[in-house]
Amino acid sequence: MKLLRDLITAACIAATYPAAVSAGVSAIDGREPERQARWQEISAYIFGDRPIEAGDDLITIEAPARAQDPALVPITVRVLRKDEVRAVHLVIDDNPSPYAAKISFGPAGDPSEIKLRVRVNDYTNVHAVAETSDGELYQTRTFVKASGGCTAPIGVSDAEALQNVGRMKMKFGGGDHPNEATLMIRHPNFSGMQINQVTRLHTPARYLDRIRVSYGEQTVFELTGDISLSSDPVIGFTYDQSENGEFTVHASDTKGVSWKGSVGAPVRMDE
């Protein structure tokens, strides 16, 4: 009888919320209506009363169905019609601070692909919302099984975690896109929920809240972040290389400390 009730429940939920099944949500757990209500609450807080349409033909999101490490969950967002999108919003619904990041693209930006590592604190939907040039919103989502990503300890002392804070590296290539780069920034991104293994007290929150990447004189993207970004963030992105130039990265954290780094891009080979 229990199995029959579960199957009936799953069928009813799938009929009412068809996206749940396609997003990989286990409808049998009975929490899909709760998750839908949660998303409505969060989206209203972030976007107000602006309508959000289904956007699977404009934006996609990939993440592991079950995270190997909840503090380092890889997320890939792809924009299928890059010229229409000016920003991407990443929301991890059941994290303590759900609004993980907003990535706004500048003249040298190419939103075709964004890769991030994030913390996931519970079984949750993860939403990616594309904002078009005329202000319309389109969302897609996936479901991730993880637990405790925001409370997971860094693995070293706070002092060790802060060594070389702000150090940056950038590498190029490695994917299918001709202009692809990966930015790595040394920063523990303390969430404020982690226990110091020596003092047994909570380590105060301190995280990168703004990262701006420029190419020559033009902005590639500006990222506004929160505690959901992993420690030592790794950000993969694509860019528009109209001419040879230099990348400049400005980063700042919630303590008001800022860093700057520069690196030359690979020489563009015109056909």
CSV table of all heavy atoms in Angstrom, one decimal, residues 226-258:
chain,number,residue,atom,x,y,z
A,226,ASP,N,28.3,35.8,-2.8
A,226,ASP,CA,27.9,35.6,-1.4
A,226,ASP,C,28.6,34.4,-0.9
A,226,ASP,O,29.5,33.8,-1.5
A,226,ASP,CB,26.4,35.5,-1.4
A,226,ASP,CG,25.8,36.1,0.0
A,226,ASP,OD1,26.2,35.6,1.0
A,226,ASP,OD2,25.1,37.1,-0.1
A,227,ILE,N,28.1,33.9,0.3
A,227,ILE,CA,28.8,32.8,1.0
A,227,ILE,C,28.7,31.5,0.2
A,227,ILE,O,29.4,30.5,0.6
A,227,ILE,CB,28.2,32.6,2.4
A,227,ILE,CG1,26.7,32.2,2.4
A,227,ILE,CG2,28.4,33.9,3.2
A,227,ILE,CD1,26.2,31.7,3.7
A,228,SER,N,27.8,31.4,-0.8
A,228,SER,CA,27.7,30.1,-1.5
A,228,SER,C,28.8,29.9,-2.4
A,228,SER,O,29.0,28.7,-2.9
A,228,SER,CB,26.4,30.1,-2.3
A,228,SER,OG,25.2,30.1,-1.4
A,229,LEU,N,29.6,30.9,-2.8
A,229,LEU,CA,30.8,30.6,-3.6
A,229,LEU,C,31.8,29.8,-2.7
A,229,LEU,O,32.0,30.1,-1.5
A,229,LEU,CB,31.5,31.9,-4.0
A,229,LEU,CG,30.7,32.7,-5.1
A,229,LEU,CD1,31.6,33.9,-5.5
A,229,LEU,CD2,30.4,31.8,-6.3
A,230,SER,N,32.5,28.8,-3.3
A,230,SER,CA,33.4,28.0,-2.6
A,230,SER,C,34.6,28.7,-2.1
A,230,SER,O,34.9,29.9,-2.6
A,230,SER,CB,33.8,26.8,-3.5
A,230,SER,OG,34.7,27.3,-4.5
A,231,SER,N,35.4,28.1,-1.3
A,231,SER,CA,36.7,28.7,-0.9
A,231,SER,C,37.6,28.6,-2.1
A,231,SER,O,37.4,27.7,-3.0
A,231,SER,CB,37.3,27.9,0.3
A,231,SER,OG,37.5,26.6,-0.1
A,232,ASP,N,38.6,29.5,-2.2
A,232,ASP,CA,39.5,29.6,-3.4
A,232,ASP,C,38.7,29.5,-4.7
A,232,ASP,O,38.8,28.5,-5.4
A,232,ASP,CB,40.5,28.5,-3.3
A,232,ASP,CG,41.4,28.7,-2.0
A,232,ASP,OD1,41.6,29.8,-1.6
A,232,ASP,OD2,41.9,27.6,-1.6
A,233,PRO,N,37.9,30.5,-5.0
A,233,PRO,CA,37.0,30.4,-6.2
A,233,PRO,C,37.7,30.1,-7.5
A,233,PRO,O,38.8,30.6,-7.7
A,233,PRO,CB,36.3,31.8,-6.2
A,233,PRO,CG,36.4,32.3,-4.8
A,233,PRO,CD,37.7,31.7,-4.2
A,234,VAL,N,37.1,29.3,-8.3
A,234,VAL,CA,37.6,29.0,-9.6
A,234,VAL,C,36.4,29.4,-10.6
A,234,VAL,O,35.3,28.8,-10.5
A,234,VAL,CB,38.0,27.5,-9.8
A,234,VAL,CG1,38.4,27.2,-11.2
A,234,VAL,CG2,39.1,27.2,-8.9
A,235,ILE,N,36.7,30.3,-11.5
A,235,ILE,CA,35.6,30.8,-12.3
A,235,ILE,C,36.0,30.6,-13.8
A,235,ILE,O,37.0,31.2,-14.2
A,235,ILE,CB,35.3,32.3,-12.1
A,235,ILE,CG1,35.0,32.5,-10.6
A,235,ILE,CG2,34.2,32.8,-13.0
A,235,ILE,CD1,35.0,34.0,-10.2
A,236,GLY,N,35.3,29.8,-14.5
A,236,GLY,CA,35.6,29.6,-15.9
A,236,GLY,C,34.6,30.5,-16.7
A,236,GLY,O,33.5,30.6,-16.4
A,237,PHE,N,35.2,31.1,-17.8
A,237,PHE,CA,34.3,32.1,-18.5
A,237,PHE,C,34.8,32.1,-20.0
A,237,PHE,O,36.0,31.7,-20.3
A,237,PHE,CB,34.3,33.5,-17.9
A,237,PHE,CG,35.7,34.1,-17.9
A,237,PHE,CD1,36.1,35.0,-18.9
A,237,PHE,CD2,36.6,33.9,-16.8
A,237,PHE,CE1,37.3,35.6,-18.8
A,237,PHE,CE2,37.8,34.5,-16.8
A,237,PHE,CZ,38.2,35.4,-17.8
A,238,THR,N,34.0,32.6,-20.8
A,238,THR,CA,34.3,32.9,-22.2
A,238,THR,C,34.3,34.4,-22.4
A,238,THR,O,33.6,35.1,-21.7
A,238,THR,CB,33.4,32.2,-23.2
A,238,THR,OG1,32.0,32.4,-22.8
A,238,THR,CG2,33.6,30.7,-23.2
A,239,TYR,N,35.1,34.8,-23.4
A,239,TYR,CA,35.2,36.3,-23.7
A,239,TYR,C,35.3,36.6,-25.2
A,239,TYR,O,35.5,35.7,-26.0
A,239,TYR,CB,36.4,36.8,-22.9
A,239,TYR,CG,37.7,36.2,-23.4
A,239,TYR,CD1,38.5,36.8,-24.4
A,239,TYR,CD2,38.2,35.0,-22.8
A,239,TYR,CE1,39.7,36.2,-24.8
A,239,TYR,CE2,39.4,34.4,-23.2
A,239,TYR,CZ,40.1,35.0,-24.2
A,239,TYR,OH,41.3,34.4,-24.6
A,240,ASP,N,35.1,37.8,-25.5
A,240,ASP,CA,35.1,38.3,-26.9
A,240,ASP,C,36.5,38.9,-27.1
A,240,ASP,O,36.8,40.0,-26.6
A,240,ASP,CB,34.0,39.3,-27.1
A,240,ASP,CG,34.0,39.8,-28.6
A,240,ASP,OD1,34.7,39.2,-29.4
A,240,ASP,OD2,33.4,40.8,-28.8
A,241,GLN,N,37.3,38.3,-27.9
A,241,GLN,CA,38.7,38.8,-28.1
A,241,GLN,C,38.7,39.4,-29.5
A,241,GLN,O,39.0,38.8,-30.5
A,241,GLN,CB,39.7,37.6,-28.1
A,241,GLN,CG,41.1,38.2,-28.2
A,241,GLN,CD,42.2,37.0,-28.1
A,241,GLN,OE1,41.8,35.9,-28.3
A,241,GLN,NE2,43.4,37.4,-27.8
A,242,SER,N,38.3,40.7,-29.6
A,242,SER,CA,38.3,41.4,-30.8
A,242,SER,C,39.7,41.9,-31.2
A,242,SER,O,40.0,42.2,-32.4
A,242,SER,CB,37.4,42.6,-30.7
A,242,SER,OG,37.8,43.5,-29.7
A,243,GLU,N,40.6,42.0,-30.2
A,243,GLU,CA,42.0,42.4,-30.5
A,243,GLU,C,42.9,41.9,-29.4
A,243,GLU,O,42.4,41.4,-28.4
A,243,GLU,CB,42.1,43.9,-30.6
A,243,GLU,CG,41.6,44.6,-29.4
A,243,GLU,CD,41.6,46.2,-29.5
A,243,GLU,OE1,41.5,46.6,-30.7
A,243,GLU,OE2,41.8,46.8,-28.5
A,244,ASN,N,44.2,41.9,-29.6
A,244,ASN,CA,45.1,41.5,-28.5
A,244,ASN,C,45.1,42.5,-27.4
A,244,ASN,O,45.0,43.7,-27.6
A,244,ASN,CB,46.5,41.3,-29.1
A,244,ASN,CG,46.6,40.2,-30.1
A,244,ASN,OD1,45.9,39.2,-30.1
A,244,ASN,ND2,47.4,40.4,-31.2
A,245,GLY,N,45.2,42.0,-26.2
A,245,GLY,CA,45.1,42.9,-25.0
A,245,GLY,C,45.5,42.2,-23.7
A,245,GLY,O,46.1,41.1,-23.8
A,246,GLU,N,45.2,42.8,-22.6
A,246,GLU,CA,45.6,42.3,-21.3
A,246,GLU,C,44.4,42.2,-20.4
A,246,GLU,O,43.5,43.1,-20.5
A,246,GLU,CB,46.6,43.2,-20.7
A,246,GLU,CG,47.2,42.8,-19.3
A,246,GLU,CD,48.2,43.7,-18.8
A,246,GLU,OE1,47.8,44.8,-18.4
A,246,GLU,OE2,49.4,43.3,-18.7
A,247,PHE,N,44.3,41.1,-19.7
A,247,PHE,CA,43.2,41.0,-18.7
A,247,PHE,C,43.6,41.7,-17.4
A,247,PHE,O,44.8,41.6,-16.9
A,247,PHE,CB,42.9,39.5,-18.4
A,247,PHE,CG,42.1,38.8,-19.4
A,247,PHE,CD1,42.7,38.1,-20.4
A,247,PHE,CD2,40.7,38.9,-19.4
A,247,PHE,CE1,41.9,37.4,-21.4
A,247,PHE,CE2,40.0,38.3,-20.3
A,247,PHE,CZ,40.6,37.6,-21.3
A,248,THR,N,42.7,42.4,-16.8
A,248,THR,CA,42.8,43.0,-15.4
A,248,THR,C,41.7,42.5,-14.5
A,248,THR,O,40.5,42.5,-15.0
A,248,THR,CB,42.8,44.5,-15.5
A,248,THR,OG1,43.9,45.0,-16.4
A,248,THR,CG2,43.1,45.1,-14.1
A,249,VAL,N,42.1,42.0,-13.4
A,249,VAL,CA,41.1,41.5,-12.4
A,249,VAL,C,41.1,42.4,-11.2
A,249,VAL,O,42.2,42.6,-10.6
A,249,VAL,CB,41.4,40.1,-12.0
A,249,VAL,CG1,40.3,39.6,-11.0
A,249,VAL,CG2,41.5,39.2,-13.2
A,250,HIS,N,39.9,42.9,-10.8
A,250,HIS,CA,39.8,43.6,-9.5
A,250,HIS,C,38.9,42.7,-8.6
A,250,HIS,O,37.8,42.3,-9.1
A,250,HIS,CB,39.1,45.0,-9.7
A,250,HIS,CG,40.0,46.0,-10.4
A,250,HIS,ND1,40.0,46.1,-11.8
A,250,HIS,CD2,40.8,46.9,-9.9
A,250,HIS,CE1,40.9,47.0,-12.1
A,250,HIS,NE2,41.4,47.6,-11.0
A,251,ALA,N,39.3,42.5,-7.4
A,251,ALA,CA,38.5,41.7,-6.5
A,251,ALA,C,38.4,42.4,-5.1
A,251,ALA,O,39.4,43.0,-4.7
A,251,ALA,CB,39.0,40.3,-6.3
A,252,SER,N,37.3,42.2,-4.4
A,252,SER,CA,37.2,42.8,-3.1
A,252,SER,C,36.4,41.9,-2.2
A,252,SER,O,35.6,41.1,-2.7
A,252,SER,CB,36.6,44.2,-3.1
A,252,SER,OG,35.3,44.2,-3.6
A,253,ASP,N,36.6,42.0,-0.9
A,253,ASP,CA,35.9,41.1,0.0
A,253,ASP,C,35.1,42.0,1.0
A,253,ASP,O,35.2,43.2,1.0
A,253,ASP,CB,36.7,40.0,0.7
A,253,ASP,CG,37.7,40.6,1.7
A,253,ASP,OD1,37.6,41.8,2.1
A,253,ASP,OD2,38.6,39.8,2.2
A,254,THR,N,34.4,41.3,1.9
A,254,THR,CA,33.5,42.0,2.8
A,254,THR,C,34.2,42.7,4.0
A,254,THR,O,33.6,43.4,4.8
A,254,THR,CB,32.5,41.0,3.4
A,254,THR,OG1,33.1,39.8,4.0
A,254,THR,CG2,31.5,40.5,2.4
A,255,LYS,N,35.5,42.5,4.1
A,255,LYS,CA,36.3,43.3,5.0
A,255,LYS,C,36.8,44.6,4.4
A,255,LYS,O,37.6,45.3,5.1
A,255,LYS,CB,37.5,42.4,5.5
A,255,LYS,CG,37.2,41.3,6.5
A,255,LYS,CD,36.8,41.9,7.8
A,255,LYS,CE,36.6,40.8,8.8
A,255,LYS,NZ,36.2,41.3,10.2
A,256,GLY,N,36.5,44.8,3.1
A,256,GLY,CA,36.9,46.0,2.5
A,256,GLY,C,38.3,46.0,1.9
A,256,GLY,O,38.8,47.0,1.5
A,257,VAL,N,38.9,44.8,1.9
A,257,VAL,CA,40.2,44.6,1.3
A,257,VAL,C,40.0,44.3,-0.2
A,257,VAL,O,39.1,43.6,-0.6
A,257,VAL,CB,41.0,43.4,2.0
A,257,VAL,CG1,42.4,43.3,1.4
A,257,VAL,CG2,41.0,43.7,3.5
A,258,SER,N,40.9,44.9,-1.0
A,258,SER,CA,40.8,44.7,-2.5
A,258,SER,C,42.2,44.3,-3.0
A,258,SER,O,43.2,44.5,-2.4
A,258,SER,CB,40.3,45.9,-3.2
A,258,SER,OG,41.2,47.0,-2.9
